[in-house]
Amino acid sequence: MSRTGSTSTLPSDPPRRWQAWFVPFVLIALTGLLLADPWPHVSPVGPAAVVPASATDMTPVRRPILKPETVVAGMTYRCSECHNLFPSPVETDRPLTQHRAIVLEHGINARCFNCHNRENRDAFADDRGGPIPFDQPPLLCAKCHGPVYRDWAHGVHGRTNGYWNPKLGPMERRKCVECHDPHNPAFKPMRPAPGPNTLRMGDRRSEAEGRSETKNPLLIYRQRLPGGDGDEAKPQRHRR
Amino acid sequence: MKRYLTFLWQCARISFVGDWRYYTWMTVLTVLSLVGLHAWCTQLVNGLVTTGMTDQVSWGVYIANFTYLVGLAAAAAMLVIPVYIYRNMHLHHVVIFGELLAVAVIVMCLLFVTVDLGRPDRFAHLLQRFNFPVSMLTWDVIALNGYLILNLHICGYLLYCAYCEREPAKVFYVPFVFVAIVWAVSIHTVTAFLYVGLGGRPFWNSAIIAPRFLASAFAAGPAFIILTLQIVRHYTRYQVGDDALLTLRRIVQVATIINIFLLGCELFTEFYSDSAHIASSRYLFFGLHGRHALVPWIWTAVAFNVLATILLVLPASRGLKVLNVACVLTIVGIWIEKGMGLIVPAFVPTPLGEVVEYVPTVHEVQICLGIWAFGLLLYTLFVRMSVPVLSGELTYRKDHGVSHEDHRRATAETV
Amino acid sequence: MSEQDNQLSGPGLTRRGFFRKSAVAATGAAAIAAAVSPLRKMSPDDIPTLERFLQKHYKEMTPAEMQTALDRIAREVEHRFAVRPSLGDVKPMVGVEFVYALNISRCIGCRRCVHACVKENNLSRAPEIQYIRVLKMEKGSIDLETSDHHYDPPVVPEHDSYYMPVQCHQCAKPPCVKVCPVEATWQEPDGITVIDYDWCIGCRYCEAACPYWARRFNFAQPELAAKDLNPDMSYLSNRPRPKGVMEKCTFCLHRTRVGKLPACVEVCPTGSRKFGNVLDAASEVSYILRHKRVFVLKEEVGTLPRFFYYFDERGSRYHESVESDRATESGGGGE
């Protein structure tokens, strides 16, 4: 495979021009370039997002005092102090003259005495009119909200703080009124905490805006319902 | 032993000898390599945040290039199979260039994996706790390093025997060559299995990925070798016959046809069924939720591959000009479809449906170019060393003026 | 290449040759030095030390070696944050397997769990890393690809949406554990999949393998302010992580292994999150698994998650009466 032998050269041949003369210059230029670092790393990391303190607040939504008390003009009164003086009529739908701050929106439960004990305002009323202690509202709610109460008793509905293992520490089951205002029990919508802002995430617009057609069968079928319009087929759009 | 050291020393010396074109080429490659090294040092200081990768797209051009290069390395077997199994002697003299390419390319693969690691200083942990055989990455580590050692041995042994003007003993290289054939297929299969085994990524969790890997490797690899052999022929006195190139052309031809067929299979499976699992394919080929950065790339790759296949099927590609165009199209097209068209789309959308696009940064591109340049530098060095040895111009006898038997009796000489 | 013979068989090293060779060698060395010069900016905390190099894998460390490692980490935390941490290695409890349950009828998507987790586990604020991602789902769809991660309405919950927070499910057949080449992540006897942050090599194969996108990587040096630091730490969970390693939700094992609830459970205002020991028949999670309509995400992937979603009554919007549904449907649809 090899060709005829190598060309012989004599030591006295005149030296040819150094073929690699430019190499040191290129390397010096490269050294200068690299030391000058024309491509410094510009961090894409922005400042940390501002997170409101409410986002990590572990206290329950409501802090009820669970005592039959009210504050009027700076003075604390036990419920029975007034209500023993002024006996209530049997039934009435007249608007309240006191406790006007209370807005009753408890669904079909629009009768005060469904919950409050007519004879003893320091307690609630059970099914037969007997007292339920004021600091045990779950027994009251259980009158109507049986399945939810059952779940709550097993720890499945509602909030728990503390320990999952009660042998190692207190397991604090939150009572009903620590989340639900008894007169307006619907859980209040709240402002969500800030969404993700991860590295090089790109445009933070809502994902749904980029979608042109939905494959959600429910949304597609709903446009065929009477009263529904064609817009139902499109995924929801959300303004900032 | 002294002869071996002399052999290494002579190889090292000759790699610094050449004409101005050689020096220009090597200087350019050195510059690119050092720029890449500089960018990697910046990455070591700042972390992988200098790249464009994110938690959503956590593998990018490094793994893309790694995947492509594993295929290129496997293609060395494509030269070996015709010669050693089918006794096709047209390729007999150029097999070694394929194996030298495999060595250079495997080094590039290992470098790409190293620069992708978050903690390369903990490389030694692989030796201390090795999750073999459960983790496919461990298989890949064994496969790649084993392949490197195999090819280093084969090439080193053959070159050393040529240097000593000794007929190589078949027992020291033929079994290894056959092992290398099987091993070449396995490195690519193992690398494919890295991706295929992940059930959470439906884009990858498909049986066709491993066969497609092999088909595209056996197209891109020999195409690369066709081009490099012509360079070797042009710049050295080494004889490379046209029939070697035409045999390689036949291999590339068949491989690209199979590759196109498998692409068709994939496209049909994805888009005819049109289920929710094809979100990644939809992102790659048509865009998803208004994001379509990869769409022009993949269609370019498909166009290149189809055009290359057509050119290779035509008899006109027996002419070197058309053949070279077809080879370049194949190499680039397969690079795109296997790199960006395989790795990145699997991460879009994320398993939770988020769409975050990936754009490589300047540093990433510099590191990639640097590793490519370093690999080409290594390959050029290998060719520079091996051509004179193989053609008989650089031998022990010519250096020392004595045969190897005489030298044992002679005193040491300075060179 | 006819030059080669000239130079190799020539008279040997001449003065000119020596000068040329050393010019190239010197400039070459200078160029290489310039190439590695960015390393001078490396923070001294990042430079690998012999102590860290010799530290063994978590499972191989003797208690004395663990104490040495804990001392080192405590020193580093104190040096960085000027806060003395209470750092330990909390072992799993016997006879405990943790299971998590999340009530998607009650979740309102307020994202407090996300931020409580960030605070409890000393997660990086810049770049932001959050273990929990809350998905807003369209009613009628369980396809995660239709989810919206970046909802930001004035109030939640929104009409016709439900919310599914996703975090590490501590799967019983974890694909992340399967793929790790150095066994830097494994599953503990109580079901929690943990990571040894001092062993991880940062290859991110586990991140690619997770079907729930639950694992996070520290691309940059994690930054958090000293005032935000939670000093109650453990080796496998919430100690400050270095750059270049993986991390993920650990069910707050520094809390749960001493009997406390995780931070996400405690902060949830609606009590949608439930946590406990599934091996205890009297626990909340056992009750949920027996009586509630539970399901898991991506069941078909076969990872056997320990994180169950369940739903009970009509939805979390009791205050919207059934009649008002029709009115809002034909109204503005979706605000």
Side-chain angles (χ1 to χ4, degrees):
Chain A
M1 256 333 281
S2 60
R3 293 207 167 197
T4 51
S6 46
T7 54
S8 61
T9 50
L10 303 167
S12 57
D13 278 2
R16 284 180 208 150
R17 185 154 178 247
W18 188 33
Q19 299 268 307
W21 63 271
F22 54 88
V23 173
F25 295 106
V26 171
L27 290 176
I28 290 174
L30 178 66
T31 308
L33 179 72
L34 293 178
L35 284 173
D37 198 7
W39 316 278
H41 166 65
V42 176
S43 175
V45 177
V50 174
V51 177
S54 59
T56 53
D57 188 2
M58 291 198 183
T59 56
V61 179
R62 299 182 77 243
R63 309 263 205 104
I65 47 174
L66 292 179
K67 280 193 235 169
E69 287 169 4
T70 186
V71 177
V72 175
M75 301 271 294
T76 308
Y77 298 95
R78 238 177 123 71
C79 305
S80 47
E81 280 181 50
C82 291
H83 286 279
N84 285 348
L85 296 175
F86 306 105
S88 315
V90 176
E91 289 297 337
T92 177
D93 277 331
R94 64 178 170 83
L96 298 172
T97 53
Q98 301 296 321
H99 308 300
R100 290 234 283 254
I102 294 174
V103 176
L104 184 60
E105 267 187 41
H106 201 128
I108 56 173
N109 181 13
R111 177 174 172 262
C112 309
F113 297 140
N114 285 342
C115 297
H116 289 281
N117 196 317
R118 200 172 145 255
E119 277 86 40
N120 173 9
R121 290 310 171 83
D122 290 337
F124 298 118
D126 70 9
D127 289 320
R128 293 198 188 83
I132 290 175
F134 215 85
D135 60 357
Q136 290 179 40
L139 293 174
L140 170 64
C141 308
K143 277 165 61 176
C144 298
H145 298 284
V148 173
Y149 174 75
R150 202 164 49 226
D151 280 348
W152 177 85
H154 284 97
V156 169
H157 179 103
R159 186 170 157 174
T160 311
N161 283 108
Y163 284 68
W164 60 266
N165 188 342
K167 296 196 191 80
L168 294 174
M171 177 194 259
E172 296 156 7
R173 301 250 48 252
R174 296 280 159 226
K175 298 190 173 60
C176 320
V177 291
E178 291 184 87
C179 287
H180 302 281
D181 178 347
H183 302 113
N184 189 347
F187 196 88
K188 298 290 163 292
M190 55 173 74
R191 176 102 181 88
N197 185 15
T198 57
L199 190 63
R200 299 186 201 270
M201 198 174 71
D203 198 343
R204 277 180 71 181
R205 68 202 160 122
S206 174
E207 293 274 278
E209 284 176 31
R211 224 171 293 147
S212 52
E213 56 137 292
T214 183
K215 289 194 172 190
N216 182 342
L218 179 64
L219 289 186
I220 295 171
Y221 290 145
R222 276 164 75 167
Q223 67 175 321
R224 302 191 199 155
L225 290 174
D229 50 45
D231 274 344
E232 285 301 322
K234 289 205 178 56
Q236 305 159 49
R237 303 201 180 281
H238 303 279
R239 280 198 288 274
R240 287 251 156 268
Chain B
M1 188 63 199
K2 181 175 189 266
R3 208 168 352 127
Y4 190 65
L5 290 173
T6 316
F7 162 63
L8 293 175
W9 170 243
Q10 290 299 334
C11 284
R13 275 190 66 191
I14 204 170
S15 54
F16 285 96
V17 170
D19 68 348
W20 67 270
R21 286 167 298 185
Y22 178 74
Y23 288 128
T24 311
W25 170 244
M26 297 302 259
T27 309
V28 166
L29 292 179
T30 308
V31 165
L32 287 173
S33 304
L34 288 177
V35 168
L37 177 63
H38 183 264
W40 187 48
C41 290
T42 309
Q43 184 182 292
L44 286 174
V45 169
N46 293 294
L48 281 158
V49 69
T50 59
T51 68
M53 293 188 275
T54 56
D55 276 320
Q56 288 87 350
V57 184
S58 51
W59 276 343
V61 278
Y62 296 153
I63 299 295
N65 277 303
F66 162 78
T67 311
Y68 178 70
L69 289 170
V70 170
L72 224 53
M78 275 287 98
L79 294 189
V80 172
I81 290 175
V83 172
Y84 284 87
I85 298 184
Y86 293 105
R87 300 267 160 231
N88 179 330
M89 285 306 153
H90 294 142
L91 289 175
H92 187 252
H93 301 294
V94 301
V95 168
I96 195 152
F97 293 115
E99 282 165 350
L100 288 170
L101 178 69
V103 172
V105 161
I106 289 285
V107 170
M108 285 162 77
C109 290
L110 295 174
L111 285 175
F112 269 118
V113 168
T114 307
V115 299
D116 187 59
L117 288 180
R119 297 299 302 242
D121 58 311
R122 294 184 185 170
F123 218 104
H125 289 180
L126 273 169
L127 300 166
Q128 293 169 279
R129 277 191 89 96
F130 201 55
N131 192 10
F132 184 83
V134 179
S135 166
M136 291 312 297
L137 251 182
T138 55
W139 286 78
D140 217 17
V141 166
I142 294 173
L144 290 177
N145 287 296
Y147 193 64
L148 176 66
I149 293 168
L150 261 178
N151 279 303
L152 273 175
H153 165 74
I154 295 171
C155 300
Y157 180 70
L158 290 174
L159 284 174
Y160 186 56
C161 286
Y163 180 72
C164 300
E165 290 174 299
R166 203 164 58 185
E167 195 64 32
K170 281 203 180 333
V171 70
F172 282 132
Y173 76 97
V174 172
F176 294 97
V177 164
F178 279 98
V179 170
I181 294 174
V182 177
W183 204 285
V185 172
S186 78
I187 60 169
H188 220 9
T189 312
V190 164
T191 306
F193 282 178
L194 280 180
Y195 311 122
V196 168
L198 302 182
R201 305 258 173 203
F203 184 70
W204 281 340
N205 193 216
S206 153
I208 206 176
I209 300 235
R212 260 202 95 186
F213 260 46
L214 283 162
S216 52
F218 293 156
F224 199 84
I225 293 174
I226 288 175
L227 296 177
T228 54
L229 283 179
Q230 288 176 65
I231 295 174
V232 167
R233 184 162 75 174
H234 181 70
Y235 285 105
T236 75
R237 280 178 272 184
Y238 201 79
Q239 291 271 38
V240 176
D242 268 0
D243 30 8
L245 297 177
L246 289 176
T247 311
L248 286 169
R249 166 186 171 270
R250 177 71 72 199
I251 296 171
V252 179
Q253 187 186 60
V254 173
T256 51
I257 292 172
I258 297 176
N259 192 30
I260 295 286
F261 171 70
L262 292 177
L263 170 68
C265 292
E266 268 197 276
L267 288 176
F268 175 80
T269 312
E270 304 280 87
F271 292 109
Y272 184 82
S273 54
D274 200 19
S275 68
H277 289 295
I278 68 151
S280 293
S281 298
R282 189 165 279 287
Y283 169 69
L284 176 62
F285 284 97
F286 301 110
L288 190 68
H289 302 179
R291 323 277 174 138
H292 43 249
L294 285 182
V295 173
W297 287 91
I298 192 62
W299 286 110
T300 310
V302 169
F304 278 12
N305 283 332
V306 168
L307 188 56
T309 309
I310 293 172
L311 285 177
L312 284 166
V313 161
L314 294 175
S317 59
R318 287 208 202 102
L320 286 179
K321 282 203 178 60
V322 178
L323 180 61
N324 288 341
V325 168
C327 286
V328 170
L329 289 175
T330 307
I331 291 167
V332 175
I334 290 175
W335 182 81
I336 296 173
E337 92 178 347
K338 212 148 108 183
M340 286 182 266
L342 178 75
I343 303 300
V344 176
F347 293 96
V348 182
T350 67
L352 298 183
E354 193 182 4
V355 176
V356 171
E357 295 201 286
Y358 164 74
V359 178
T361 58
V362 160
H363 294 99
E364 241 173 324
V365 171
Q366 284 175 346
I367 292 176
C368 291
L369 283 175
I371 296 178
W372 271 93
F374 184 71
L376 288 173
L377 187 85
L378 278 183
Y379 188 55
T380 314
L381 286 175
F382 292 154
V383 171
R384 181 75 188 91
M385 294 178 208
S386 56
V387 165
V389 170
L390 290 171
S391 59
E393 287 167 10
L394 178 64
T395 63
Y396 189 77
R397 189 157 47 91
K398 291 221 173 85
D399 281 336
H400 292 256
V402 294
S403 69
H404 60 272
E405 290 92 18
D406 299 334
H407 178 78
R408 258 188 255 128
R409 292 184 226 111
T411 53
E413 291 180 49
T414 52
V415 179
Chain C
M1 304 288 187
S2 56
E3 307 286 310
Q4 68 195 62
D5 311 314
N6 183 21
Q7 304 232 15
L8 277 186
S9 55
L13 202 58
T14 62
R15 194 162 47 226
R16 181 178 297 166
F18 175 76
F19 179 71
R20 288 176 182 174
K21 286 194 174 87
S22 44
V24 172
T27 49
I32 293 175
V36 298
S37 64
L39 290 177
R40 71 183 188 275
K41 292 188 211 138
M42 185 170 274
S43 144
D45 301 324
D46 283 340
I47 294 172
T49 63
L50 189 66
E51 197 182 356
R52 284 195 209 144
F53 184 76
L54 293 174
Q55 184 176 318
K56 295 200 193 115
H57 188 273
Y58 175 85
K59 287 191 188 170
E60 288 170 11
M61 281 202 259
T62 64
E65 283 164 342
M66 171 54 77
Q67 193 52 49
T68 316
L70 292 174
D71 292 335
R72 170 183 67 79
I73 297 166
R75 258 194 333 260
E76 287 166 5
V77 170
E78 214 172 338
H79 168 73
R80 195 173 153 200
F81 295 101
V83 170
R84 175 171 283 271
S86 127
L87 177 63
D89 174 34
V90 190
K91 294 291 183 196
M93 293 160 74
V94 177
V96 169
E97 187 178 335
F98 291 122
V99 156
Y100 211 113
L102 200 145
N103 190 341
I104 56 172
S105 295
R106 304 289 164 202
C107 176
I108 55 171
C110 67
R111 292 199 186 106
R112 287 187 183 191
C113 48
V114 176
H115 294 281
C117 168
V118 166
K119 192 169 160 192
E120 175 69 29
N121 287 295
N122 293 320
L123 293 185
S124 170
R125 306 314 198 258
E128 182 187 270
I129 293 181
Q130 294 170 342
Y131 292 159
I132 303 175
R133 182 58 75 98
V134 182
L135 274 56
K136 183 182 113 156
M137 307 287 291
E138 286 172 0
K139 189 155 128 182
S141 172
I142 199 170
D143 184 2
L144 297 184
E145 209 225 312
T146 63
S147 66
D148 183 359
H149 299 210
H150 303 290
Y151 61 93
D152 190 23
V155 287
V156 285
E158 296 167 275
H159 181 67
D160 264 359
S161 312
Y162 67 98
Y163 299 89
M164 280 208 312
V166 181
Q167 64 210 65
C168 174
H169 288 0
Q170 321 291 354
C171 308
K173 278 178 64 182
C176 54
V177 170
K178 219 167 35 171
V179 300
C180 178
V182 290
E183 291 179 297
T185 188
W186 67 94
Q187 187 148 97
E188 295 258 289
D190 58 356
I192 302 180
T193 306
V194 295
I195 302 171
D196 184 350
Y197 308 120
D198 292 330
W199 198 258
C200 174
I201 60 173
C203 69
R204 303 187 304 291
Y205 196 9
C206 56
E207 194 168 17
C210 178
Y212 305 103
W213 195 64
R215 297 181 71 108
R216 303 284 182 269
F217 181 70
N218 284 292
F219 287 91
Q221 177 69 18
E223 292 294 339
L224 69 149
K227 64 171 168 59
D228 292 327
L229 189 76
N230 173 11
D232 189 25
M233 304 173 184
S234 128
Y235 182 86
L236 286 174
S237 66
N238 66 336
R239 58 166 166 124
R241 272 74 63 190
K243 181 173 66 188
V245 299
M246 302 296 303
E247 54 178 291
K248 67 175 194 62
C249 163
T250 54
F251 278 179
C252 284
L253 61 82
H254 54 284
R255 292 170 63 114
T256 54
R257 285 181 174 176
V258 294
K260 292 188 193 165
L261 288 168
C264 47
V265 173
E266 287 222 65
V267 81
C268 177
T270 58
S272 310
R273 288 170 167 267
K274 298 292 162 203
F275 181 85
N277 175 14
V278 74
L279 299 178
D280 174 10
S283 65
E284 297 167 359
V285 289
S286 297
Y287 182 91
I288 291 168
L289 293 184
R290 279 202 302 274
H291 298 291
K292 292 294 180 184
R293 285 164 284 181
V294 293
F295 66 93
V296 296
L297 280 186
K298 302 204 190 198
E299 187 185 342
E300 69 278 4
V301 185
T303 52
L304 306 183
R306 289 198 178 86
F307 199 105
F308 294 88
Y309 296 89
Y310 68 101
F311 49 100
D312 36 29
E313 288 87 17
R314 181 166 68 92
S316 56
R317 269 136 341 256
Y318 267 106
H319 55 291
E320 291 174 22
S321 76
V322 179
E323 280 72 33
S324 74
D325 274 350
R326 192 62 53 110
T328 40
E329 256 169 43
S330 51
E335 290 302 347

